[in-house]
């Protein structure tokens, strides 16, 4: 399946969306982005840098939410301009879409908000690519309605992302049938690291199973995911958001090499 409207993404390989969960500092962002760019350039994997400029969905009031919207967005745009990379960030309300669209190439709709019509329409109206994460509470087939909201608003540049399905109160599972189903409606990405979250912990801090990242990633490529999504950090234990399920940055290259082999095999 062709991937729309970002130059060089239709390479015949899977594409990669990767970066830190949130913008922590300019130094941290550029360390991660430069490292991934060097790896993906060498491996010929199309790359989109990802970072959230604000974290709106946190369990506790004292959780890290960001360094300031415009400051974080300017850092993301610096990655775009200085490294010549397409960039992606999340939006949470209709009002945020026009602001974020001034800085990024892809607007991402969080999974819990994938049915919010006003948010989907506002994102569509920016003309940017809209990446909709599948709600943990929805079937893959139900995502056609979210895609239709974007397309019927005049924007055909839409992707879907699988990120696990709620399994009990504190776990997620990936139903790999979702990927070929959703590919009928739009290019489909597998969010590997969020699929391994263990939400709703009694501590108020989300857990995770990063030791299964390679397993989930290989399976996603094997069933035909167009792209993969990985949150990564040089020191996940000290990341300010989602550290429990992140991939350590120095492990990324080895994983990508293995995934290329899987892609070639199928």
């Amino acid at each position: 399946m062709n991937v729309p409207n970002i130059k060089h993404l239709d390479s015949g390989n899977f594409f990669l969306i990767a970066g830190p969960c949130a913008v922590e500092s300019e130094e941290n962002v550029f360390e991660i982005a430069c490292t991934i760019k060097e790896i993906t350039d060498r491996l010929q994997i199309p790359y989109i840098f990802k970072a959230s400029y604000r974290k709106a969905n946190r369990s506790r009031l004292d959780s890290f939410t960001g360094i300031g919207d415009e400051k974080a967005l300017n850092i993301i745009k610096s990655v775009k301009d200085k490294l010549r990379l397409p960039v992606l960030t999340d939006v949470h309300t209709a009002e945020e879409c026009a602001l974020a669209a001034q800085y990024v190439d892809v607007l991402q709709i969080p999974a819990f908000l994938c049915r919010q019509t006003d948010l989907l329409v506002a994102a569509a109206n920016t003309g940017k690519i809209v990446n909709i994460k599948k709600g943990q509470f929805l079937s893959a087939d139900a995502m056609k309605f979210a895609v239709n909201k974007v397309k019927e608003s005049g924007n055909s540049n839409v992707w879907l992302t699988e990120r696990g399905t709620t399994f009990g109160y504190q776990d997620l599972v990936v139903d790999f049938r979702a990927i070929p189903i959703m590919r009928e409606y739009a290019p489909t990405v597998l969010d590997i690291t969020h699929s391994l979250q263990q939400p709703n912990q009694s501590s108020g801090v989300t857990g995770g199973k990063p030791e299964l990242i390679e397993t989930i990633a290989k399976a996603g490529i094997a069933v035909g995911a167009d792209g993969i999504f990985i949150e990564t950090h040089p020191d996940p234990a000290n990341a300010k958001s989602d550290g429990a399920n992140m991939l350590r940055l120095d492990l990324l290259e080895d994983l990508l090499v293995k995934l290329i082999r899987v892609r070639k095999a199928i």
Side-chain angles (χ1 to χ4, degrees):
M1 179 179 289
N2 290 337
V3 179
N5 266 14
I6 285 187
K7 190 177 181 182
H8 305 312
L9 284 197
D10 186 17
S11 69
N13 206 345
F14 60 87
F15 65 95
L16 174 67
I17 300 171
C21 178
V23 174
E24 298 179 9
S25 68
E26 186 168 13
E27 179 182 17
N28 176 259
V29 161
F30 271 88
E31 177 184 359
I32 295 168
C34 289
T35 300
I36 302 175
K37 183 179 188 300
E38 189 276 327
I39 293 168
T40 53
D41 281 352
R42 185 156 29 84
L43 297 179
Q44 298 183 312
I45 297 172
Y47 172 45
I48 302 165
F49 174 79
K50 176 269 167 189
S52 297
Y53 73 93
R54 188 201 317 162
K55 299 300 296 182
N57 177 18
R58 307 305 308 275
S59 295
R60 296 179 358 191
L61 190 61
D62 62 354
S63 296
F64 174 78
T65 58
I67 62 173
D69 290 359
E70 291 202 24
K71 182 178 180 181
L73 284 166
N74 274 309
I75 291 172
I76 294 170
K77 190 172 188 300
S78 291
V79 171
K80 172 184 172 71
D81 293 342
K82 293 179 181 179
L83 301 184
R84 299 185 180 276
L85 287 172
V87 295
L88 172 154
T89 199
D90 316 75
V91 286
H92 309 91
T93 67
E95 293 73 24
E96 290 179 34
C97 293
L99 171 65
Q102 297 175 49
Y103 298 85
V104 303
D105 303 285
V106 184
L107 297 177
Q108 182 166 277
I109 309 299
F112 283 127
L113 301 176
C114 68
R115 286 171 51 95
Q116 295 298 108
T117 300
D118 58 344
L119 176 57
L120 290 166
V121 171
N125 287 341
T126 66
K128 300 293 183 177
I129 294 172
V130 181
N131 182 35
I132 312 169
K133 287 197 166 185
K134 181 181 79 65
Q136 300 92 323
F137 45 87
L138 286 177
S139 70
D141 193 56
M143 292 306 294
K144 64 187 173 188
F145 301 112
V147 171
N148 288 343
K149 288 177 183 179
V150 174
K151 290 185 174 180
E152 290 168 10
S153 299
N155 186 342
S156 62
N157 299 317
V158 56
W159 304 342
L160 291 172
T161 293
E162 163 64 29
R163 54 95 70 237
T165 300
T166 299
F167 185 71
Y169 289 116
Q170 294 178 319
D171 209 355
L172 298 168
V173 294
V174 178
D175 180 354
F176 287 97
R177 297 174 299 178
I179 292 173
I181 291 170
M182 292 196 298
R183 289 185 80 236
E184 294 294 316
Y185 312 127
T188 298
V189 177
L190 175 60
D191 181 343
I192 297 160
T193 46
H194 285 104
S195 294
L196 292 168
Q197 283 183 329
Q198 293 182 304
N200 305 317
Q201 299 297 306
S202 58
S203 64
V205 178
T206 297
K209 294 183 176 180
E211 66 274 12
L212 293 175
I213 286 172
E214 182 176 322
T215 300
I216 297 295
K218 286 178 176 176
I221 294 298
V223 298
D226 296 290
I228 57 172
F229 180 115
I230 297 175
E231 288 189 339
T232 183
H233 193 282
D235 184 11
N238 288 303
K240 294 184 178 180
S241 177
D242 280 0
N245 52 269
M246 279 190 190
L247 179 68
R248 208 172 71 218
L249 184 60
D250 64 356
L251 300 178
L252 179 63
E253 181 170 3
D254 181 63
L255 174 64
L256 293 175
V257 168
K258 291 175 180 176
L259 297 184
I260 289 171
R261 291 175 184 156
V262 173
R263 179 75 170 215
K264 288 180 178 177
I266 63 169

